[in-house]
Amino acid sequence: MTISATSIADQLTLDRQHYIGGCVLVLISAVCYGLQPFFAFFAYNDGTNTTGLLLSRFCISSVVLLGWLKLRGISLPKPKLFIQNLAIGAGYAGAGLGYYNASQSASFSLAVILMFSFPAFVTLFAILFLKEKLTRLRVTSLTLAISGVIFAAGIDLKGDITGILWALFAALSYGSAIIYASHQAKPENPIASAAVIMIAGSLIFIVVAQFHHITMPQTATGWSAVIGLALFATLAPLATFISGAHRIGAANASTLSTMEPVVAVVIAVSLLGEPLSWTTITGGVMVVCAALLLVRQKR
């Protein structure tokens, strides 16, 4: 049986289109995630506080995902994986709490840059506790990440220390969720696991609301912003990332995802009028470069 040159060329064309389509989906995901400051800005201006914003975000996302699973006839994960996904959801909830509190205490620009240092925490954990090799590339990337955080926060560290700590807490929480997800919980169905993660976030902020003052949107504008955050900056990027990463591989998808902090900072500066110093720009570039190096190492 022979395969013609035309058939090979057609297959290569289809493979390339498949790959390019995956890249586009992941880039859309990164841009959508980067829209978070835009929606949060209008929600905050309408009187919503961080707890109310995140409670609404996770609850709306949970309801939509559960409805989708019901419509498609997809079951929730089995008990063991269900509990594991709840633990991952706790990490995501902590990341959201840290990120949005940091944006309130400091700025969205600083919050997103510091949170994006999470690959450095993941790598450091892998070296210290998972006995992964300490390579020259990893040393370089960790140095870049730490230096970038210092530059972004302010070389003299006289910025809003509360906001800085919240942002680093977000990075640690997100990194912990990723470590646990990659080493303990293997999803049977990514959308079903995502639904449980959103349920966990909803439950956590329902509990937080019992001990912390909560304010919800006061007008249709505020609710539109919250719904937009849940649909266009949570669920849409989740779906497009899962679809795109399946086509191009996790390493390439992670590389393209570094567009997220760029989009978020551009929105914070251009639309929200946040000031941006050269030290913050330098730190942001260093953190993104560190993430790219770590992805290259992982590949």
Side-chain angles (χ1 to χ4, degrees):
M1 180 178 179
T2 60
I3 302 176
S4 67
T6 303
S7 298
I8 295 175
D10 290 342
Q11 184 60 48
L12 288 174
T13 300
L14 289 174
D15 289 344
R16 183 164 60 180
Q17 291 175 346
H18 189 73
Y19 183 84
I20 293 174
C23 290
V24 171
L25 287 170
V26 173
L27 284 173
I28 291 173
S29 171
V31 171
C32 288
Y33 274 130
L35 293 175
Q36 291 183 73
F38 176 78
F39 293 113
F41 175 79
F42 289 103
Y44 283 143
N45 280 352
D46 198 53
T48 312
N49 65 358
T50 298
T51 306
L53 177 65
L54 291 172
L55 175 61
S56 303
R57 178 194 191 187
F58 278 102
C59 285
I60 293 171
S61 299
S62 299
V63 170
V64 172
L65 283 177
L66 288 174
W68 172 257
L69 294 178
K70 180 70 174 178
L71 185 65
R72 303 288 293 184
I74 300 173
S75 302
L76 289 173
K78 295 177 182 178
K80 180 181 179 181
L81 184 58
F82 187 93
I83 294 173
Q84 290 174 330
N85 286 328
L86 286 178
I88 296 169
Y92 276 95
L97 185 65
Y99 175 69
Y100 285 95
N101 274 323
S103 67
Q104 287 282 80
S105 301
S107 69
F108 275 111
S109 301
L110 180 61
V112 72
I113 288 171
L114 297 189
M115 181 176 171
F116 214 75
S117 63
F118 74 86
F121 292 111
V122 173
T123 301
L124 191 59
F125 181 90
I127 292 171
L128 294 177
F129 300 103
L130 301 180
K131 307 304 180 184
E132 292 192 6
K133 293 181 179 180
L134 182 61
T135 64
R136 184 179 300 175
L137 190 60
R138 280 180 167 169
V139 171
T140 302
S141 61
L142 287 172
T143 303
L144 265 176
I146 294 171
S147 302
V149 166
I150 294 173
F151 266 92
I155 298 176
D156 55 2
L157 291 179
K158 291 181 180 178
D160 189 326
I161 190 64
T162 302
I164 293 170
L165 291 176
W166 272 120
L168 293 177
F169 172 75
L172 282 169
S173 298
Y174 194 54
S176 299
I178 289 174
I179 291 169
Y180 184 77
S182 60
H183 288 84
Q184 298 295 328
K186 304 298 182 183
E188 299 167 352
N189 183 294
I191 300 299
S193 292
V196 179
I197 289 170
M198 294 301 163
I199 290 171
S202 301
L203 294 175
I204 285 174
F205 284 107
I206 287 173
V207 173
V208 171
Q210 307 306 310
F211 302 95
H212 188 271
H213 177 66
I214 179 173
T215 57
M216 306 299 283
Q218 304 299 310
T219 67
T221 300
W223 277 110
S224 297
V226 171
I227 293 172
L229 178 66
L231 297 182
F232 300 110
T234 303
L235 295 181
L238 173 68
T240 51
F241 184 86
I242 289 173
S243 300
H246 179 71
R247 296 187 184 191
I248 66 176
N252 291 328
S254 299
T255 302
L256 292 176
S257 293
T258 54
M259 181 62 68
E260 177 189 337
V262 176
V263 173
V265 170
V266 167
I267 288 176
V269 173
S270 61
L271 296 183
L272 310 184
E274 287 191 359
L276 191 63
S277 66
W278 281 107
T279 54
T280 303
I281 294 173
T282 303
V285 171
M286 293 170 73
V287 168
V288 171
C289 288
L292 291 173
L293 285 173
L294 289 172
V295 171
R296 180 183 174 187
Q297 169 73 28
K298 204 67 177 176
R299 185 185 297 116

